[in-house]
Amino acid sequence: MRLGQAHGVGHAGGGVADAPGAGPPPGSNADARQHPWPDSRKPGSGQHSWQGAAPSDAVDTLLESDMAHAFTEGSNADMTSTDTQKNTVYYIAKQCSQPCSPEEFAILLARHFVHTYPKVSKAKVWVEQAPWKRATLGGQLHKHGFSMSGSEVRTCAVSATAEGRTTVTAGAQGLRLLKTTQSGYEGFLHDRFTLLPDTRERIMASCVTASWRYTAPAAYDAAFAAARGALLEAFLGPPACGVYSPSVQHTLFQMGRLLLERVPQADSVFLNMPNLHFLPCSPVTAKFEDDVYVATSEPHGSIEATVTRGEVQPHCKL
Ligand SMILES: O=c1[nH]c(=O)c2[nH]c(=O)[nH]c2[nH]1
């Protein structure tokens, strides 16, 4: 049952040394997707660099609980209110003496809810980290100044159950990628509804939404960097020569495959890739020579798929 959703902002750092629920969950070895919390991976152990970290995150929480009576009887007994949920986000943030990844923050928060409230059987937490970067002035990193450009958001979704099962997915939204050549689309079915000509030369552009599931705890910041790097590398190809893409579909598969190769703790990668169009443009007195394109907001297709390791079940949104 979906009880409610609270929004909170800002874990200005992260890393909780002694937050309630920070200890290892009971029975945490029973399933490969559970996340035991070995002592060496406790946040606050000083292994995270604060450089480049984000000064504000958006947090959503959702509790599944034994609260049917609230809906059917109008009784709010034992209900963890959304106000409490919101304040708990701030409380956990306040505990953070050291920076930590969004995933670690979300794990602490989700486990806090299921450990604290007996009626709550599952807690889900989503974190969106805006692309704040520490400002550089005169080649020097600013001590406490940040700037933000672009719209790419780092995301994570964590669910924790009262039985001690934790699921972690991470991802990115609004990852804008474009290459000016080495892309084509040909050999597809043509019938009377088809206007698109075959081409071996076009711009390929997308605004990628990606999410991948972890099967084991990871160094989440490093894993995120590796995952993001893999997505870029497979989309763009080597810097000097690129790689030819016969379709968004094929590129998507290469991106998912490389991510699984580079992030051994991930077993399932969901990718949504709108095929953003740039149309060839012939100026009045000159012919088109793969040079001038017009960015359009025309309707476009969106390709999506989940690439998994072996026969594992693809993940879906938590
Ligand atoms: O790479 C592409 N995949 C498609 O499915 C598609 N459909 C379309 O009109 N253009 C493209 N391009």
Side-chain angles (χ1 to χ4, degrees), residues 183-185 188 196 202 204 245-249 275 277 301 303:
S183 166
Y185 183 59
F188 51 90
L196 188 71
R202 65 176 183 172
M204 186 159 86
S245 163
S247 66
V248 175
Q249 283 86 338
N275 180 23
H277 299 309
I303 314 302

Side-chain angles (χ1 to χ4, degrees), residues 281-289 291:
C281 169
S282 305
V284 196
T285 57
K287 78 178 203 317
F288 176 70
E289 290 174 313
D291 45 7

Side-chain angles (χ1 to χ4, degrees), residues 234-312:
F235 184 97
L236 300 170
C241 55
V243 63
Y244 181 73
S245 163
S247 66
V248 175
Q249 283 86 338
H250 187 67
T251 296
L252 181 155
F253 180 66
Q254 299 300 336
M255 292 163 76
R257 192 151 79 166
L258 193 61
L259 192 152
L260 291 177
E261 210 175 291
R262 296 280 166 80
V263 184
Q265 301 92 343
D267 73 343
S268 173
V269 184
F270 166 83
L271 289 164
N272 172 280
M273 295 180 57
N275 180 23
L276 303 177
H277 299 309
F278 286 75
L279 301 181
C281 169
S282 305
V284 196
T285 57
K287 78 178 203 317
F288 176 70
E289 290 174 313
D290 300 325
D291 45 7
V292 181
Y293 290 84
V294 185
T296 85
S297 55
E298 273 195 12
H300 57 261
S302 232
I303 314 302
E304 70 175 45
T306 305
V307 183
T308 62
R309 207 181 279 286
E311 299 297 311
V312 303

